[in-house]
Amino acid sequence: MEDTIGIIVAPIVIFLIFVAPIWLILHYRSKKQMNQGLTQDEYATLQDLADRAEKMADRINTLESILDAEAPQWRNKV
């Protein structure tokens, strides 16, 4: 009976001493970062990526219209 209790108690004690504090610290640190929102640099990067994506979409539309005019069956070749 005492061996069984020792087998159960030892991992629980190790967990509570080492794992649980680190887990709680990392958990609340990530929650704090999520609540702060985007930094100015992150927002600028996000805006730059959105602008690039919009330009790329315009280029794709232009290329598709050129292909439609010059090779109308290009969509069927996929």
Side-chain angles (χ1 to χ4, degrees):
M1 179 74 171
E2 290 180 20
D3 291 337
T4 307
I5 293 174
I7 292 172
I8 294 172
V9 171
I12 292 173
V13 169
I14 291 172
F15 177 81
L16 290 175
I17 291 174
F18 296 108
V19 178
I22 294 170
W23 186 1
L24 288 172
I25 290 168
L26 293 176
H27 171 73
Y28 285 108
R29 183 185 297 169
S30 69
K31 279 227 182 239
K32 181 181 174 187
Q33 289 175 349
M34 289 172 63
N35 288 337
Q36 290 178 346
L38 296 176
T39 64
Q40 290 292 73
D41 290 337
E42 291 171 335
Y43 183 76
T45 302
L46 183 62
Q47 190 64 40
D48 182 50
L49 289 173
D51 293 341
R52 287 183 185 191
E54 192 171 320
K55 288 178 186 177
M56 191 178 300
D58 291 340
R59 289 178 181 174
I60 290 171
N61 288 335
T62 302
L63 288 172
E64 286 180 346
S65 64
I66 292 169
L67 282 171
D68 285 337
E70 293 185 8
Q73 299 298 320
W74 72 273
R75 294 181 194 265
N76 298 333
K77 294 182 181 180
V78 177

